[in-house]
Amino acid sequence: MNPMKKPLALVTGASRGIGAAISKRLAQDGFHVVLNYASQEARAKELLQEIESQGGSATLCPFDVSQSTQVDEKLEWITQHLGPLSVLVNNAGITLDTLLLRLKNEELDRVLSIDLKGAIYCTRAAIRPMMKAKQGSIIQIASVIAEMGNAGQSAYAAAKAGLIGFSKSMAQELASRQIRVNVISPGFIQTEMTQVLTDPQKEAILRSIPLGFYGAPEDVASIASFLASPGSRYITGQVIGVNGGMYM
């Protein structure tokens, strides 16, 4: 549960990669972190143990962000048993890469349902208690692909670009209640999602990064930490690139 009534943060897709790094960082920052996952239970339990071994606290919370009924039920459970969220990090996402002519309807639906609709469902369910508390920070994890495009990633680019537009609208809707909504747009970050790329693909990407190296999940986590903190109280509706200069 939530010891000492720490401020509460929910991270979706928390079991690995960027989500795991953000969860660990927020726990270090003093948040009680609700760790969402859909299927990676073993990984989520390992993350929970790691957080607790470092003096932090967290709660496992499995649900599929693409299912609005599950989202509503779990967010209500979180509010009733742990308290109102101070921070929501919409990180859950997948990519099913192929050229548009080969893109199947079910693949398109899957990407949009998780990457875009899932974030919308979670945001909608989280904002009511945030509005009552008149405080909150919503952090969306988009992608540099939403800003610059990439052949073979039309569905992913559409979902993440939609997330940026949604976030700017929400920033305007929620500002009067002191709820901030911002987007982190990572570039090439070394995670399991990017390990499937071939060596020539990775080398081509590296040549496109002015800083000359790949990012780590912790680079994204440090920005999430800032956006979750009072130090970012005057920042809302912004897209912050963490991409080594890949897109400016």
Side-chain angles (χ1 to χ4, degrees), residues 162-243:
L163 184 58
I164 291 174
F166 167 70
S167 301
K168 288 179 176 289
S169 295
M170 290 312 303
Q172 294 192 36
E173 286 189 23
L174 299 172
S176 64
R177 298 300 182 96
Q178 301 304 304
I179 300 169
R180 298 176 294 103
V181 185
N182 291 288
V183 180
I184 301 175
S185 183
F188 190 89
I189 307 297
Q190 290 184 308
T191 66
E192 290 182 14
M193 283 184 68
T194 56
Q195 287 174 0
V196 299
L197 298 175
T198 65
D199 287 339
Q201 287 174 323
K202 292 179 181 178
E203 291 169 3
I205 292 171
L206 186 60
R207 289 194 295 270
S208 71
I209 302 173
L211 284 181
F213 62 91
Y214 305 124
E218 291 74 18
D219 295 317
V220 181
S222 65
I223 301 301
S225 171
F226 170 64
L227 291 175
S229 75
S232 61
R233 70 186 187 98
Y234 205 52
I235 299 175
T236 194
Q238 302 304 306
V239 180
I240 301 176
V242 185
N243 59 39

Side-chain angles (χ1 to χ4, degrees), residues 1 8-15 23 32-49 51-52 57-67 69-83 85 87-90 92 122 125:
M1 306 315 278
L8 200 64
L10 167 62
V11 181
T12 67
S15 62
S23 299
H32 181 84
V33 185
V34 182
L35 307 173
N36 161 257
Y37 62 95
S39 60
Q40 300 282 338
E41 182 176 11
R43 296 285 295 274
K45 288 182 176 179
E46 289 176 6
L47 175 61
L48 173 63
Q49 293 174 353
I51 288 173
E52 291 179 341
S57 64
T59 298
L60 298 179
C61 191
F63 63 89
D64 184 344
V65 299
S66 70
Q67 301 300 312
T69 300
Q70 289 188 37
V71 171
D72 291 342
E73 290 175 350
K74 290 295 186 177
L75 267 292
E76 183 176 354
W77 181 90
I78 290 169
T79 301
Q80 290 181 352
H81 291 83
L82 301 175
L85 288 176
V87 174
L88 168 64
V89 182
N90 283 313
C122 289

Side-chain angles (χ1 to χ4, degrees), residues 70-166:
Q70 289 188 37
V71 171
D72 291 342
E73 290 175 350
K74 290 295 186 177
L75 267 292
E76 183 176 354
W77 181 90
I78 290 169
T79 301
Q80 290 181 352
H81 291 83
L82 301 175
L85 288 176
S86 295
V87 174
L88 168 64
V89 182
N90 283 313
N91 168 74
I94 63 168
T95 178
L96 298 171
D97 298 344
T98 188
L99 297 175
L100 180 60
L101 288 174
R102 299 174 183 169
L103 181 67
K104 298 176 181 178
N105 287 347
E106 55 268 28
E107 293 173 330
L108 173 61
D109 290 343
R110 184 67 175 155
V111 173
L112 293 176
S113 292
I114 294 176
D115 294 24
L116 178 56
K117 293 173 69 175
I120 293 174
Y121 293 153
C122 289
T123 300
R124 184 176 63 189
I127 59 175
R128 190 175 299 277
M130 283 185 175
M131 291 172 72
K132 289 181 180 179
K134 293 187 177 180
Q135 63 85 31
S137 175
I138 298 172
I139 302 166
Q140 321 278 24
I141 307 300
S143 170
V144 68
I145 301 305
E147 301 173 282
M148 61 185 289
N150 193 34
Q153 290 192 298
S154 58
Y156 182 70
K160 293 299 189 179
L163 184 58
I164 291 174
F166 167 70

